[in-house]
Each structure stands twice: as C-alpha cells, then as structure tokens.
Amino acid sequence: MSEANEGMDVGYVAKLANIDLTTEETALFQGQLNQVLHYVEQLNELDVGGVEPTAHAFPVYNVLRKDEVGTSLNHADVVANAPAATDGEIRVPKILDQ
Amino acid sequence: MADLHKLTIYELSEKLAAGACTSVDIVNDVLASIDATDGKVGAYLTIDRASALEQAKVADALRAEGSTLPMLGIPVAIKDLLNVKGQPCTCSSKILEGYTAPYDATVIAKLREAGTVLLGRVNMDEFAMGSSTENAALGKTSNPWNLKHVPGGSSGGSAACVAADEAIAALGSDTGGSIRQPAAFCGCVGVKPTYGRVSRYGLTAFASSLDQIGPISKTVKDSALLLEVLCGHDKMDSSSIDMDVPAFGKSLTADTSLAGIKLGLPKEYFVEGMDPEVEKTVRDAVDHCKSLGAEIVDVSLPHSKYAIAVYYIIATAEASANLARFDGIRYGLRVDGKDPIELYGKTRAVGFGSEVKRRIILGTYVLSSGYYDAYYLKAQKVRTLIRNDFTAAFKQCDAILAPVTPTPAYKLGEKTDDPLKMYLDDILTTPVNLAGNCALSLPCGFSSSGLPIGLQIIGDSFAEETILKIGHAYEQTTEWHTRKPEIS
Amino acid sequence: MQYEATIGLETHVMQKTNTKMFCACKYEYGAEPNTHVCPVCLGYPGALPVMNEKAIELCCKAGLLLGCEINPYSKWDRKNYFYPDMAKNYQITQADQPLCLGGQLTVDVDGEMKTFTIERIHQEENAAKNTHVAGASLVDYNRAGTALMEIVSNPCMHSAEDALAYMTAVKQIMQYGGISNCDQEKGQMRSDVNVSVRPVGQKELGAKVEIKNMNSFAFIKEAIEYEIDRQTALLESGGTVDQETRGYDPDRGETFTQRTKENAHDYRYFPEPDLMPVKIPAEQIEQWRSELPELPAQRRVRYVQELGLPEYDAGVLTADMATSDWFEQAMRHTKNAKAVSNFIMGEMMRLLSEQNCSISESNVTPEKLAGIVALIDAKTISTGAGKQVFEIIFNDGGDPKAIVEERGMAQVSDDSALEGWADEAIANNPKPVEEYKAGNPASINFLMGQVMKASRGKANPGAVMQMLKQKLDR
C-alpha cells in the first residue's frame, strides 16, 4: 500500500466519480481522506498470503430466474419520474461520441 | 389521548383482540403524540395521516371479519430509504427530489401482508452514511432523551420515533451498525439480522454486501415478531437465503433462565477510550446474565481492530458504484449541463451532501486502477479473517456480549468536523456486518447524565432465536426498557 | 520493410431470450420507447438483478459450439462508467471468471482453411438505445439490460478477409445453434475490432487501435483495411501508432480518434455483490452438449458422405440455416437428395430472389417439393414439367399430383401412342433419318424434338429415344 503514502488526488478522483467539487471542498476532503487512508494503512501489518477474499457473506450459487416475462412499469410513471422527456423517451443533453 | 402510543405491539394486539381499542384509536393516539413532540424530536420527514387512518380503518374492518394477521392495525414508521409505491423515497438526500417510488420494497409488501399500518417516513443520515443523523439534507433529528444530543444513525429517525412513542415500531437498516447504534443511543431494541435473512429488494443500497433491514422496537419480543414478518426468501434478491423462518415471536416464553447458555466476552470489545460508565454498565449486564444461569467465557476476536479499515474500504467501494445511478437522467434532481458529463458533475455536486461525496470519492479511489489490490482486495481478505474470528468464537460460546458503542449519545455537532473520529465509533458494530452474522441491541442502563446505554448480543449466522431468547430473558428481569424520556 | 497486421475481434451477440438478462422485462425489438422497463433495468433505487437461466444456457451452448471449455465456476463484476444509456452507470459483466474459456473455429478463407482461436465468452447486459435530435439526445431503455454475450477472439487474424470469414462463421453458428438471430440491422451482432501493425519478424504486437461498435460486415471490412493502411503508412514514414480508441465514419471511409490512451476509462471492476457466482456441474454441460444442433461444417460433410451430394451443393445448401433446415425437411419425404438440391439451387433460389422473399415464406413446402421429385422419379412427369409444377405451386399454391392431373401434364410412355408420333416424325423428315443412318447420331435429336412437339411435351423422352433408335437401327 506504498502508493497510499502519496495520498490521493481528490480532484482527479472526483472527476472519475462525476462530482464537481469546489476548491474549498477539494482542499477539505484532501486532508480528511488522506487521514482516512493513513488510518487504513494498518492493514499492512497483516499477512494475508493464502487468505481467500470474501465477496459475499454467504455465497450461494446459481440463483436463477426462469425466462418468463413479468410486469413492466407503467410507461406514464417512468416518464413522470424523468426530469425531461420527449415523445416517451428520456431527454438528455446531446451525447457526444465517446 | 388514551396513551395507546406508549404501548408495545404485543400489548396493543391484546387490546385489539379484546376489542378494548381499535386501530383507528391507536393511529389517532400516535398521530397526536407526533403532533405533541415531533416538533422537538424531528424524527419524521413525511407523515401520511390520511393514508394511515385509511389503513387503520381497513385493519379494523378485517379484524371484524375475523382476521388474525400478526401485526394487524399496528402503526409502523419507515426509514426513508425503503421504496413504498406512490411515495417519495428521499434517503434524506436532495438528489432524490421529485422521485416517486413505482414499487414496494419486499419488506413493505410483507408489512402490508401482516396488516401493518404505514405511518410515514423517518429521517436518516443521507444514504445511510453516518452515525448521528446529522448528515441529513431534509431535517435534523434529536435524541428524545436529551434534545441537544444526537439520536445516532443512520437509522436515527427510526430509533427516535420509537423512543418518543411517535411510532409503535420502525424499520431501519444496518450496514455498519445503523440499527444497533441508534437503538442504543435512544434506549430502544434493534436487530441486525443475518445477511440474507431479510430481502434487500427495494432498500436503496449503500453497501450491498453488508446492508440488512431490521426492526427497531420498544421490546425484544416486539422485535422478534417484526423480524418474523420481515424474514423470508425473496426471489427478487439473489442474496436472500432460502431457509425456513422460525416463529421468533412465539419462541419467547416467560422462562428467564439462561442455564446451559455460554456467553462469550471478547476482550477486544472493551476498547481503549471507552467511556467508563458504558464499560461498567455493560459488565453489570454481563453479571446479570450470569445470575440468570449463563456461563461466561472469554473469547477473542483478534482482527476486530481492523474492522473499521476494512469496512470503510468495502462499504465505500460498493457505495461508489451503488450511488452512480443518481445522475439526474431518469429520476430525481437534475442540474442541466451542455452535455451529460457536465450534467452529472453539477447534479451530483448539488444533490449529494459532504459525507456522501467523501465516501463516494474514497470508494472510487480504492477501486481505481493501480490501487484495487492494495485496498479493496486486501480488505476483502481481512474480511475473511474477521469472519473466521467469529466462526472460531462460536465454537466456544452460544452468543457474544459486548457494548454497542464506546460512549453514550454525544452532542449534536460534536463530531461533524472530524469524519475519521466519527468512523472510529463504529468499531463495535462493523465486525458483525463484515462477518454477516446477527446481533441485537437492547437497553442495559443509563449514564449519570440520563442517556441510555446499550448491550449488544451477537449471535452466530442464523442464530437469531438464540440472541432473542437471551435478550428477552435479560429484558424480563430488568426494567430499563420501561423507562420513558421526558421530552423537553 | 514488410509489415503485417494483427486483428482481434470482440463480438457482441444478443441472445434469443424472452426476457432481459437480470429482470423479467420482455425483449421486443421496435416496441414503443420505454414500455419494457422496470426498476431493475432503469437503475431505480433499491432494485436488484436476478440472472436469466436461459441466457446462461445459451451462452454456454455458444461456448460449446465454438469449442470452448465451460468454466465450472464463474462470477459477476461491475464495470463502472457513466453514460446515459447505462442506467446504473455500471455494467454487470464478467471480468476474470467468464462462463466460457478458450475455443476455436476453422473457416475457409478464400479457399484456405484457417483456424482462429477464441479467448473467452462472457455474459453481460446490453445498453439502452440513444437517438440524437436537435440539441438533445433521447434515450429508450427497452434494450437496456437485455442479454448480451461477448465473444472475444485472440489477436490471431491478419487481414480483413480473415476477420470477415471469422465473423461470418460466428454468425452462422449462432443462428444454427439457436443462440441468436444475429440480425445486424437490429443491432443483434456488433463488433469491436482491434487492429495493430508490426514489422514482419517482430515478436511483440504493435500499438493496439480499437475501432468500436460496428454492425455492418462491409463497414468492418472497410475500417480494417483503412486502419491497416493508415498504421502501415505511419510506420513506414518513421512515425508511431498511438494506442487509442477510434470510430469508423462510413461516409468518409475513414477512422477517427475517439479516445486517446491518456483519456482511457478507468472501469474500476469489482465483484458484483448483488449476484451470486455460477457453478456449472459436468452433467449439466453434457446435457447441453447433447442438445446442440449439427453445425454447418458437420452438415456439409454429411451431405457429401451420406447423401452423395457434390461439395458445391453441400456448401450452397448449408450457407444459410433456413435453407439447410428446409432441405433437411424435404429429405424426410424423399431419398433423392440431388433432385431436391437441384430444385433448391435452381428454381427455388431464382424465384425467391425474383420475388424477394425467404424460403420459409415459399408456397412450395419441403413436402410438396418431395412430391414433385417423386412424380419425376416415377416418370409420371418429365423434369421440365416438374419445373413447371414447381413454379405453379410457388406462385399460386396447390398440390403437385392434382396440378399434374388437372393440367394433363403426365407424360406418355405408352408404346402405341409413341409409335404413331415416331413413325410420323421418321416419315416426314427423311433428311435427318438419312444423316443418322450415315453415321451422325446427333441427328436423332431433331427427330426426338419432333416427337416431343407432337406430344406437346408429354412424351417420356427416354421411351421416345428408345423407340426411335429401335426403328432406325433396324
């Protein structure tokens, strides 16, 4: 976890997370989160060689659903929830090609 | 007011069955109680007066037809992150402004099937991120025992409304202690069920591998009954466990003997910096259990001290993805931009509060390229060690006794400037979420300043019956749960 | 210096399921926008995914058809990126433990048999559909969350022709296997193409350029050719190729930069906590294997070896699954494979193309064609009459036997009737008779024509020939 010592670039990570931060927020979070990262470095004390990671508390397998059509939402409710809609479609600012 | 609001589910069910009161009477009493005190407590975000009375009428009609549904006519408050069809579900966040849930969470459907009256939606830390209900965009909640103190969090509204007799019981959710800690702070009973016991479908996700919905109530027996209603396999939730639900309510009897039960005392849970009053109160509770016949054994959970580090990596990582859907496109708040990227950035800047932003950024970072192995993968491995600790401990005992929090409820504003300090308070509750097993919090005393102190009873996976039995025996032989706050 | 191109393909195939990958919404192409959506596929708060059993089966069957190993343990991951067509702003996919591993495909590339290898097939969910209008984009989430699998080839191809042959074979196999309709116009098969160029003899691959999201084979071919030329020219002039993502503009016939390496996405993959892993036992795999249909390559061999068809016929008949299935059905009613094949390759294909319809829409059913062939084989009608019957049924429907009877198309083999026409032809045409007798056997054909004419085509040509020879050779 040596990278952690350098601290994170809050501005860059906030962009990844698509949250615009003010300069003040960036500075505040930078300090607070570096403290948290410093704290979690204590995990380095542990030797986890050969330890399996836990992704699920109780892994069960093959939780499957039959391929049978169920009920969809009422179209009007979907449109009513959307901040902007045109002709039943959800309107967003022009998507630029990625 | 006939003081019906002060009673428990069981007490009210008896009255209802005997025809001594109606559900409409109960709802009216509870609404009056809300009117009298919620201006001070601030538990509710929305109160569904008309709908609650309507549901109560239906319940009374059903009872007249002979219905004996387990919670028929009992008014319950809902934490604002559960979807109820036709209602807002704000998660105490501005970003869900304007969202109307088009479906019922599975637990809501179960409450309806059990005859419950849904009263309204109660406050919480935004997206369940916090331990004081101070990270809430839409209102502040106080601790009924001392309005200058926090109710705990994130299910602060749920605990506060039950403690203030503004609901007979409430639903909360627990990702790192969010049921047990506010229950302890407010002198209520709260259960964090085993992961997979209760369907998460319709629960706005914070950390999917840790979240569980559970009851907050006035007594252990009420929690047992509510838990029985909430549990059960759900095909809409792939992590829901397909196993029978014991009759938790009926399993609790008048027998208060704990003979033959081994209770483990983990030395790691009596941590440095713990409030001496909390430690003494909990140790007294341990002695009390011993006096009921339990055998006390020392156990060790050596990796507990890493729980906070592991928790804040795993929970924030999952949250960073879970909360990506709040983007201003399909529902909720939108702050427009010239292209979607600008729209996302602005919407999420305005819509999320500071703590949510901090956690999303932390979670994004620990998953980002080059850091995954060092943080996330490592945390998942240490999570395994924490689970193994519990597995080993439960070979030596039937349940574990511990404090819920290192201190009683602190003052509003006391810790808001120091996130890490606030995180560290979760040290006694997060290990259970990481391991996936169950735990119960119940009142076991009061501080000298009159604030409740909670006892945590931690059970093995799917051992809810055991911890409920122990809690019930303790409760039947103590009077802490009968005390009521004077709200002023 | 000589350069060589290396190409790898990531082919996305939409599976033929009734419902979406993780919810019970129907998949229906062309439905009214946002009518097949629910909390799960719209990414509403609190919604959770549940796996579609059929999609898992189809993905594994696709793997078996492409020679993959089925992974006994596979799991799900979240791939994080923000885009309006991705409701949750993460895609559920499989990063390190896909359903299918390895695999290969041997195909004919301009007469040369080449084997291309497959790295993996993983299951994921589809994105919504965006359309662009003045000043805004509109999103229809009907397609969001539909079952989509990604077949990832190794970088083992070296030309646009290789890539095309590979994709054609994949498409054919997916259609044969009932995995997908692979209708490219409906976006059911799309490919990302990775192209790199390196000097011949160099071990490491050149910088990889990814051309994203193309559905037309013609455009993929153009894009690959353009990209190979562009990269080669860059290297030849001493430049370097940048690793990047490019798009293809079919109007200009050019690729263009979409995303540079510096701006590459950081997808932050991590295990999907809402879904449980998949374990597939060996018995299940064997069960699925036993249900697999015969593939085109296997059918071709069988048509040649067991039915005695020429290689050419076998190739034409199996090129398209509908045609091949039609042929198979016809063969249930007749043993004369070559006759059926001739009709399909001749009359059927001509009429289908003239009338622009598909074989399944033809009035001539496999059973009816078998009936026509039976009439010819029994010498009830001539081959020519058979073709007429075929066309009559194709246009107006009807039963072969009834048509032959109604229209008096049955041929005459009766000696007494034939004898009259034969004697008449010999008597009226002394010149060809003389020529035949002088040793020109071809002259008999003229006489034969006269008999056929007199019989209005109904005379059995074999019997006529025999009779004429008998009379003239006497």
Side-chain angles (χ1 to χ4, degrees):
Chain A
M1 219 179 278
S2 57
E3 301 94 333
N5 296 325
E6 301 153 24
M8 76 162 89
D9 176 351
V10 167
Y12 168 75
V13 181
K15 270 209 183 72
L16 268 183
N18 281 292
I19 302 174
D20 292 350
L21 295 184
T22 62
T23 321
E24 294 74 33
E25 276 177 317
T26 308
L28 178 68
F29 292 175
Q30 186 77 61
Q32 291 170 331
L33 292 174
N34 278 345
Q35 247 189 317
V36 175
L37 288 177
H38 179 73
Y39 174 80
V40 305
E41 267 178 45
Q42 62 171 297
L43 296 184
N44 286 337
E45 300 164 15
L46 288 168
D47 177 11
V48 291
V51 179
E52 282 296 312
T54 294
H56 298 99
F58 299 103
V60 287
Y61 300 93
N62 303 354
V63 182
L64 298 159
R65 168 180 70 75
K66 292 247 179 287
D67 185 26
E68 287 163 4
V69 176
T71 330
S72 293
L73 285 179
N74 184 342
H75 177 70
D77 290 343
V78 174
V79 172
N81 259 330
T86 299
D87 297 335
E89 298 203 59
I90 291 171
R91 194 171 73 243
V92 299
K94 191 126 194 146
I95 299 169
L96 307 169
D97 273 330
Q98 279 197 322
Chain B
M1 234 190 277
D3 280 356
L4 294 170
H5 59 290
K6 291 186 177 171
L7 303 181
T8 66
I9 299 174
Y10 274 92
E11 287 164 349
L12 288 170
S13 294
E14 265 177 42
K15 279 190 185 292
L16 286 165
C21 73
T22 65
S23 177
V24 170
D25 295 339
I26 299 170
V27 170
N28 275 325
D29 247 21
V30 170
L31 288 173
S33 168
I34 293 171
D35 290 338
T37 55
D38 205 51
K40 290 171 183 163
V41 176
Y44 280 87
L45 292 172
T46 52
I47 306 156
D48 305 315
R49 290 172 194 276
S51 155
L53 283 167
E54 193 49 47
Q55 294 172 66
K57 273 182 201 156
V58 171
D60 287 335
L62 281 173
R63 189 174 296 277
E65 288 166 19
S67 168
T68 56
L69 291 172
M71 291 196 44
L72 188 61
I74 304 294
V76 169
I78 305 299
K79 187 177 180 178
D80 197 32
L81 43 44
L82 290 164
N83 281 270
V84 179
K85 191 173 178 172
Q87 290 192 8
C89 176
T90 70
C91 302
S92 286
S93 181
K94 278 192 262 182
I95 208 153
L96 275 164
E97 197 178 278
Y99 168 71
T100 303
Y103 73 110
D104 273 345
T106 299
V107 290
I108 298 298
K110 284 177 176 287
L111 285 185
R112 290 191 201 276
E113 283 162 25
T116 310
V117 172
L118 305 177
L119 265 179
R121 313 180 61 79
V122 288
N123 204 11
M124 55 185 279
D125 282 298
E126 184 177 2
F127 289 108
M129 295 180 182
S131 314
S132 66
T133 312
E134 290 167 293
N135 305 323
L138 309 171
K140 288 273 175 276
T141 304
S142 285
N143 191 316
W145 292 90
N146 184 331
L147 298 175
K148 292 198 176 74
H149 286 244
V150 301
S154 65
S155 309
S158 305
C161 75
V162 172
D165 289 323
E166 295 177 5
I168 307 306
L171 293 197
S173 67
D174 192 316
T175 307
S178 282
I179 288 176
R180 290 160 287 159
Q181 185 256 24
F185 277 10
C186 293
C188 304
V189 175
V191 180
K192 197 297 273 188
T194 306
Y195 186 83
R197 267 283 198 209
V198 180
S199 168
R200 295 181 294 116
Y201 190 74
L203 163 75
T204 307
F206 162 15
S208 314
S209 77
L210 305 167
D211 296 340
Q212 272 292 285
I213 299 163
I216 292 183
S217 66
K218 298 174 185 179
T219 63
V220 173
K221 208 170 176 187
D222 278 5
S223 269
L225 178 62
L226 196 41
L227 187 64
E228 197 179 317
V229 169
L230 300 178
C231 285
H233 182 241
D234 179 15
K235 58 183 182 5
M236 298 298 280
D237 174 2
S238 305
S239 65
S240 161
I241 304 284
D242 192 359
M243 64 191 294
D244 290 340
V245 181
F248 293 127
K250 286 202 185 90
S251 73
L252 300 180
T253 63
D255 178 15
T256 57
S257 166
L258 293 180
I261 287 181
K262 275 190 194 171
L263 295 174
L265 215 54
K267 59 174 186 285
E268 295 85 359
Y269 276 54
F270 294 86
V271 290
E272 213 179 304
M274 172 168 290
D275 183 298
E277 279 188 320
V278 171
E279 173 156 4
K280 180 170 187 316
T281 309
V282 171
R283 289 203 185 272
D284 286 350
V286 173
D287 288 343
H288 183 83
C289 291
K290 201 173 168 183
S291 75
L292 295 175
E295 183 188 342
I296 309 296
V297 295
D298 284 326
V299 294
S300 177
L301 301 164
H303 296 95
S304 300
K305 67 168 183 163
Y306 301 107
I308 293 296
V310 171
Y311 175 79
Y312 279 91
I313 291 170
I314 289 177
T316 59
E318 291 182 9
S320 74
N322 282 333
L323 272 66
R325 68 189 62 196
F326 304 112
D327 61 358
I329 301 291
R330 295 162 313 285
Y331 50 80
L333 177 78
R334 175 185 289 194
V335 182
D336 239 315
K338 66 176 188 318
D339 58 38
I341 294 292
E342 194 180 299
L343 181 153
Y344 299 146
K346 285 180 169 177
T347 301
R348 290 160 65 82
V350 172
F352 289 139
S354 290
E355 183 58 23
V356 172
K357 288 178 188 170
R358 253 192 308 270
R359 293 200 194 187
I360 290 175
I361 289 167
L362 179 59
T364 303
Y365 177 73
V366 299
L367 290 174
S368 65
S369 176
Y371 297 100
Y372 179 86
D373 288 2
Y375 290 109
Y376 191 75
L377 188 62
K378 180 137 201 177
Q380 282 196 318
K381 290 179 176 177
V382 182
R383 185 175 180 183
T384 306
L385 299 177
I386 291 169
R387 282 186 69 182
N388 294 347
D389 281 358
F390 278 107
T391 310
F394 287 118
K395 287 190 175 133
Q396 294 171 262
C397 61
D398 301 301
I400 291 168
L401 297 184
V404 184
T405 56
T407 67
Y410 41 87
K411 285 202 176 82
L412 286 159
E414 195 178 313
K415 296 191 181 182
T416 41
D417 292 337
D418 191 344
L420 181 59
K421 205 170 161 193
M422 187 100 83
Y423 297 171
L424 294 176
D425 281 349
D426 299 340
I427 184 76
L428 303 169
T429 47
T430 47
V432 170
N433 300 82
L434 291 167
N437 49 326
C438 61
L440 164 75
S441 167
L442 81 167
C444 69
F446 287 81
S447 71
S448 49
S449 56
L451 289 163
I453 292 170
L455 170 68
Q456 188 174 200
I457 308 173
I458 301 171
D460 202 351
S461 302
F462 307 105
E464 281 85 355
E465 269 181 302
T466 308
I467 59 172
L468 289 166
K469 178 186 158 69
I470 297 163
H472 183 63
Y474 179 87
E475 194 182 72
Q476 294 296 294
T477 52
T478 54
E479 50 76 45
W480 311 112
H481 66 286
T482 60
R483 296 202 191 175
K484 300 279 185 191
E486 265 182 45
I487 298 164
S488 57
Chain C
M1 201 184 299
Q2 288 279 30
Y3 292 91
E4 70 166 356
T6 305
I7 299 159
L9 291 170
E10 293 163 20
T11 305
H12 301 262
V13 172
M14 268 179 82
Q15 290 137 286
K16 223 164 34 175
T17 52
N18 297 323
T19 66
K20 297 186 181 184
M21 185 61 222
F22 298 115
C23 65
C25 286
K26 188 177 179 182
Y27 164 60
E28 184 188 5
Y29 181 82
E32 283 295 306
N34 296 313
T35 51
H36 296 319
V37 291
C38 75
V40 178
C41 56
L42 281 175
Y44 269 30
L48 296 171
V50 186
M51 287 178 254
N52 182 339
E53 178 176 81
K54 182 74 179 174
I56 302 285
E57 176 188 330
L58 291 177
C59 184
C60 291
K61 282 185 170 172
L64 292 172
L65 289 168
L66 293 173
C68 297
E69 289 289 322
I70 304 304
N71 198 346
Y73 171 93
S74 74
K75 62 180 251 296
W76 304 92
D77 298 275
R78 292 184 181 178
K79 178 182 180 180
N80 295 284
Y81 65 98
F82 277 72
Y83 207 65
D85 65 10
M86 190 49 71
K88 305 179 294 301
N89 289 318
Y90 60 80
Q91 180 189 32
I92 303 176
T93 180
Q94 301 189 293
D96 59 338
Q97 295 284 5
L99 280 168
C100 311
L101 295 165
Q104 69 283 314
L105 193 54
T106 300
V107 294
D108 182 335
V109 186
D110 300 331
E112 187 189 343
M113 295 310 281
K114 292 186 180 177
T115 296
F116 300 123
T117 55
I118 289 162
E119 185 201 314
R120 57 186 281 162
I121 308 176
H122 61 258
Q123 182 67 53
E124 54 189 30
E125 55 175 336
N126 212 342
K129 194 171 135 245
N130 304 318
T131 45
H132 305 291
V133 295
S137 297
L138 302 177
V139 195
D140 169 11
Y141 289 89
N142 282 346
R143 201 182 67 190
T146 51
L148 185 72
M149 54 180 198
E150 182 172 335
I151 304 168
V152 182
S153 85
N154 284 307
C156 59
M157 291 164 242
H158 299 290
S159 66
E161 288 71 27
D162 284 358
L164 226 59
Y166 167 85
M167 282 189 301
T168 306
V170 168
K171 178 177 175 178
Q172 203 182 44
I173 291 170
M174 292 304 111
Q175 290 177 336
Y176 264 82
I179 312 294
S180 170
N181 291 330
C182 289
D183 187 332
Q184 286 142 289
E185 283 175 18
K186 293 180 182 169
Q188 291 171 350
M189 184 180 185
R190 307 193 295 270
S191 290
D192 300 337
V193 184
N194 296 310
V195 182
S196 66
V197 168
R198 64 179 162 188
V200 170
Q202 180 182 306
K203 226 175 158 195
E204 311 80 50
L205 291 175
K208 183 175 90 175
V209 169
E210 184 176 26
I211 313 161
K212 280 282 208 195
N213 206 18
M214 292 182 285
N215 57 16
S216 144
F217 283 5
F219 292 163
I220 292 173
K221 183 167 184 286
E222 288 170 25
I224 292 173
E225 283 166 351
Y226 177 86
E227 199 51 33
I228 293 174
D229 289 349
R230 186 186 72 88
Q231 293 183 27
T232 307
L234 260 175
L235 294 174
E236 274 174 345
S237 63
T240 51
V241 174
D242 292 329
Q243 183 185 326
E244 60 182 354
T245 303
R246 295 175 76 88
Y248 179 66
D249 180 346
D251 295 333
R252 291 161 161 255
E254 290 173 2
T255 65
F256 59 94
T257 300
Q258 277 185 326
R259 188 172 278 271
T260 60
K261 189 187 176 188
E262 292 69 40
N263 291 325
H265 285 292
D266 182 346
Y267 288 124
R268 289 165 279 129
Y269 285 99
F270 76 103
E272 164 60 283
D274 288 331
L275 288 171
M276 296 296 144
V278 182
K279 275 187 178 176
I280 301 176
E283 311 84 74
Q284 177 68 77
I285 298 171
E286 286 323 304
Q287 171 65 33
W288 285 336
R289 202 189 294 280
S290 73
E291 292 165 11
L292 292 180
E294 192 181 31
L295 286 183
Q298 296 164 320
R299 276 194 183 175
R300 265 197 306 276
V301 171
R302 183 164 58 84
Y303 288 2
V304 173
Q305 291 181 349
E306 292 178 21
L307 301 179
L309 287 179
E311 290 273 359
Y312 175 80
D313 291 38
V316 173
L317 292 175
T318 55
D320 167 67
M321 186 173 80
T323 308
S324 180
D325 282 349
W326 201 97
F327 172 76
E328 297 274 325
Q329 282 177 40
M331 289 309 294
R332 279 188 213 145
H333 306 284
T334 175
K335 290 205 161 57
N336 193 343
K338 182 58 185 155
V340 174
S341 169
N342 285 346
F343 267 106
I344 293 175
M345 296 195 305
E347 306 311 301
M348 181 66 98
M349 289 192 174
R350 175 177 65 81
L351 291 164
L352 289 177
S353 110
E354 276 173 18
Q355 307 198 9
N356 195 23
C357 57
S358 70
I359 196 161
S360 60
E361 298 164 320
S362 162
N363 284 329
V364 182
T365 60
E367 203 172 346
K368 286 181 181 173
L369 176 57
I372 297 173
V373 170
L375 290 171
I376 296 170
D377 288 349
K379 299 195 164 46
T380 310
I381 55 171
S382 66
T383 305
K387 288 179 182 174
Q388 285 173 28
V389 174
F390 188 99
E391 192 157 349
I392 290 164
I393 299 177
F394 190 94
N395 289 325
D396 307 314
D399 171 69
K401 248 187 191 155
I403 290 169
V404 167
E405 277 169 24
E406 277 165 25
R407 307 201 180 200
M409 292 168 89
Q411 60 188 357
V412 181
S413 307
D414 172 38
D415 280 355
S416 60
L418 292 184
E419 194 151 18
W421 290 321
D423 287 343
E424 201 180 316
I426 291 169
N428 293 344
N429 300 287
K431 206 174 167 215
V433 171
E434 237 166 76
E435 282 169 11
Y436 178 82
K437 287 186 170 166
N440 184 1
S443 300
I444 200 166
N445 291 337
F446 179 80
L447 299 173
M448 169 98 179
Q450 294 303 304
V451 176
M452 292 310 288
K453 204 171 164 184
S455 76
R456 294 204 203 130
K458 284 190 229 164
N460 178 338
V464 174
M465 185 61 85
Q466 209 181 351
M467 177 154 295
L468 284 170
K469 279 187 178 166
Q470 215 178 8
K471 289 185 181 285
L472 295 172
D473 292 347
R474 210 158 25 196

